[in-house]
Amino acid sequence: MPPERWSDPEAVQRAAAVLGVGARTDAPLGALTTSRVGGPAAVAFIANGPDDLQRVQQARAASCLEVLIVGRGSNLLIADRGFEGIALHLGDAYTRIELDRADATVTAGGSVALPVLARQCAAAGIGGLEWAVGVPGSIGGAVRMNAGGHGSDMASCLIDVDIVDLGELGAPPESVQMPLRALGMGYRRSSLRDRHLVVSARLSGHQAPPETVTERITDIVRWRRENQPGGQNAGSVFMNPPADSAGAQIDRAGLRGLRIGTAEVSRLHANFIVSDPGGSAADVVTLMAEVQRRVTESTGIVLQPEVRMVGFGPAPMLT
């Protein structure tokens, strides 16, 4: 999208100027998500420490642009027109993993990939985090939404997190440590807001033979390959309703394989929507709305989106 297509191209340029040489304008964003659909970010920036985060705050103050914290791009759907703001990524400075075998604890940076964490824990003889191998997100995103699977989640193993609160426009970023009890974690939710950047998390596991943990990881990876689709998708589309699964509700409504344009309800797992190469985010959202409508008509249950939608404005979803 050319700069003149943004509603305030001067604001975009001001933000980029403050951020400096590390800033990229009209940067790919949708293409970097696991769904691989959607448009660019007006500005993208990779932060590798407190000084970079301070510049982000200064860029916000100079431009009044919103900041979108982007992890590994799973569970995220970007509109085809893109995101008119600053897409903030955590860089290599936030990929450190520290393992304490004696206490069976691990401290991981906010941009650590969960599958990497699970495998390193297995090699160190730390169990309890095997479930993370099946979640293609980052530590930061997993804390924010209390990601989970295979009978566990972040809340079950989290001790505390280090947060940078971007706060109000013009305010310096504030570093805060928050224990689990302060995070308000529930099913696929926490009390963290858009301004909260998870820079690290401390997790607890238990001592276990490495071969036992590795075998469990192998079983999870095998199950995912057999029961969940690959390709272009954002993971589970809807949250599970109480005492049921969203996939089962969608199946019972006869929607497996339903297609709108370039998007299709997966034939392997009905709570996934797979996009064609070169597909559009608009087709995904339209299909989500149709699935939600038909499930409500047939069951009376209103499925709630799990995937985060950015840049769409009011989405055509039943609420």
Side-chain angles (χ1 to χ4, degrees):
M1 179 180 292
E4 60 270 17
R5 293 288 299 279
W6 302 115
S7 65
D8 192 347
E10 291 183 0
V12 172
Q13 295 304 317
R14 287 196 301 271
V18 172
L19 291 170
V21 294
R24 295 174 296 141
T25 57
D26 305 303
L29 182 56
L32 301 180
T33 67
T34 58
S35 61
R36 296 198 289 279
V37 295
V43 186
F45 184 69
I46 299 174
N48 272 301
D51 290 345
D52 285 345
L53 295 178
Q54 179 65 48
R55 277 194 289 277
V56 171
Q57 285 297 80
Q58 293 167 349
R60 287 180 67 206
S63 65
C64 294
L65 294 178
E66 294 181 22
V67 173
L68 173 66
I69 300 168
V70 181
R72 298 184 63 82
S74 63
N75 201 246
L76 183 63
L77 184 66
I78 305 298
D80 294 317
R81 72 174 304 277
F83 170 65
E84 189 165 354
I86 302 167
L88 173 60
H89 303 258
L90 291 182
D92 291 344
Y94 297 97
T95 59
R96 186 174 180 180
I97 298 176
E98 298 178 3
L99 300 164
D100 187 328
R101 295 172 175 83
D103 291 338
T105 60
V106 55
T107 301
S111 62
V112 168
L114 289 179
V116 171
L117 176 73
R119 293 183 186 281
Q120 288 201 20
C121 286
I126 297 176
L129 297 166
E130 298 93 327
W131 62 270
V133 78
V135 182
S138 65
I139 283 287
V143 170
R144 178 181 299 275
M145 68 168 291
N146 189 21
H150 302 279
S152 192
D153 57 17
M154 287 299 293
S156 69
C157 55
L158 189 63
I159 301 172
D160 52 39
V161 295
D162 290 324
I163 303 288
V164 171
D165 189 344
L166 298 179
E168 303 297 328
L169 285 176
E174 179 183 3
S175 297
V176 181
Q177 187 176 77
M178 300 178 69
L180 171 63
R181 65 178 180 275
L183 293 172
M185 284 186 151
Y187 174 62
R188 300 298 178 264
R189 63 175 174 80
S190 74
S191 60
L192 296 180
R193 298 295 176 256
D194 290 347
R195 69 177 193 269
H196 293 135
L197 177 64
V198 178
V199 295
S200 71
R202 191 160 58 107
L203 308 166
S204 65
H206 58 262
Q207 294 179 343
E211 59 272 18
T212 301
V213 185
T214 299
E215 183 178 356
R216 170 64 173 153
I217 284 177
T218 299
D219 289 343
I220 290 172
V221 171
R222 181 185 303 113
W223 185 92
R224 282 178 58 83
R225 288 176 177 168
E226 293 174 353
N227 294 278
Q228 295 181 355
Q232 300 184 186
N233 71 80
S236 296
V237 174
F238 296 102
M239 293 186 286
N240 291 329
D244 204 348
S245 75
Q249 292 283 345
I250 296 166
D251 254 341
R252 285 195 286 270
L255 303 179
R256 190 180 291 242
L258 178 67
R259 171 174 284 269
I260 292 180
T262 60
E264 182 177 278
V265 175
S266 170
R267 298 174 186 275
L268 189 60
H269 191 307
N271 198 25
F272 285 68
I273 290 178
V274 180
S275 296
D276 295 341
S280 79
D283 288 344
V284 176
V285 171
T286 302
L287 183 54
M288 287 174 64
E290 181 64 9
V291 168
Q292 189 187 50
R293 184 186 69 80
R294 293 200 196 181
V295 168
T296 301
E297 284 184 350
S298 63
T299 68
I301 293 173
V302 181
L303 295 177
Q304 296 300 319
E306 180 174 319
V307 65
R308 184 181 183 190
M309 295 172 284
V310 173
F312 291 91
M317 307 295 290
L318 300 173
T319 56

